[in-house]
Structures are given as C-alpha cells and as structure tokens.
Amino acid sequence: MQVTAQEQYVEFGIENEQYAIRIQDIHEIIKLQDITQIPNVKPYVKGVINLRGKIVPVLSLRNLFDMQEKAPSKSTRIVVVHHQEDTVGIIVDRVSKVTTFSDIQPPPDRVGGIDGNFFVGIGFTKGGLVGILRLDEVLLHE
C-alpha cells in the first residue's frame, strides 16, 4: 500500500485499542451530550443529538464492535463526521491526537476480533498500530 505520510488522521481510542479517521472526514469533536433515544433501531445506534439545530444520529463504536458497555467518562467524545450527504456522530472513549502514518498496510480478515471490513488499513505509529476506519462500512453497517 502507498505511504501516506502527508495525509492526516484523528486518532481516538476505545478500551485499549486505537482507531483513526481521515481528518477531512471529521466535522468536529464535541463532548458527550444528552442523546435522545429512538425506537426500532440497531443496538449500536444510540439515538440523536441536536447539534446547533441539526438533528444528528449518534453511533457507538463500542456496540458496533461488540465490546462491553462502559459508562461514559470525562474524556468520552462524539466525533462528528461528514460522509456522503450525511452527518453522523460516533461515540469514542477518548480522542488522542492528530497524526500521520509512515506506513499503512491492508487490514487482516480480523482486527482484534473485529471484522477487517471495518478498516481501510492498519497504520503504523511510534505508539503502535492504529486501525483506520472505513466509514462506508461503519456508517452503513447492516
């Protein structure tokens, strides 16, 4: 895979795992706020928030990746992404930093017990490996 040192990513964590999304896909990062639950949705859809007058659905990566539920902390954030024509919030345990990767490798079939289709690749940093999310798969998961 190509070296993409110039492309920037926002790195965030869930439990002890690190993930990243391309910075140009991120609209903003906000503190966790009240989420209005909506009926008859997938378990990983936590509900909607009112983001300055715009209703934004919010997903939990923790639920999507079948991780154990955890109470939010002071570092819990909602990463608001723009994807295609939609704006969606993704709940994460913490946002770490903006980073670049010296090397990105294709993902294996499973990444830490998670379906490899959720990832575009695995980025290498001085701190370790980071799963780069494939937003198409995360946001449009059936």
Side-chain angles (χ1 to χ4, degrees):
M1 186 171 248
Q2 291 182 333
V3 174
T4 57
Q6 67 279 6
E7 193 163 32
Q8 292 185 314
Y9 297 83
V10 172
E11 186 179 320
F12 54 90
I14 300 174
E15 288 292 340
N16 297 322
E17 302 297 327
Q18 291 297 111
Y19 303 98
I21 296 175
R22 293 183 321 159
I23 199 165
Q24 64 261 35
D25 293 328
I26 295 177
H27 176 64
E28 64 183 295
I29 298 167
I30 60 175
K31 290 184 177 180
L32 187 65
Q33 55 184 268
D34 290 336
I35 298 172
T36 303
Q37 295 182 348
I38 49 179
N40 303 320
V41 294
K42 303 278 186 189
Y44 60 87
V45 178
K46 303 309 278 183
V48 294
I49 59 171
N50 184 341
L51 186 62
R52 292 182 294 281
K54 183 173 184 168
I55 302 301
V56 175
V58 177
L59 311 178
S60 168
L61 275 187
R62 182 177 284 281
N63 288 119
L64 182 63
F65 292 166
D66 291 326
M67 294 178 174
Q68 191 170 18
E69 194 69 36
K70 178 182 169 190
S73 70
K74 290 172 69 175
S75 61
T76 302
R77 295 290 184 267
I78 298 175
V79 177
V80 181
V81 298
H82 281 305
H83 184 68
Q84 297 174 351
E85 300 295 318
D86 298 322
T87 302
V88 178
I90 300 173
I91 301 171
V92 301
D93 289 354
R94 64 194 170 281
V95 173
S96 305
K97 60 187 173 185
V98 174
T99 190
T100 58
F101 298 111
S102 58
D103 187 22
I104 298 174
Q105 295 294 317
D109 292 341
R110 307 281 304 166
V111 177
I114 301 168
D115 186 345
N117 288 324
F118 284 115
F119 302 95
V120 172
I122 304 297
F124 293 80
T125 67
K126 291 178 182 174
L129 303 178
V130 178
I132 302 169
L133 295 179
R134 181 186 313 269
L135 285 181
D136 282 336
E137 195 64 34
V138 170
L139 301 179
L140 304 175
H141 183 70
E142 291 294 321

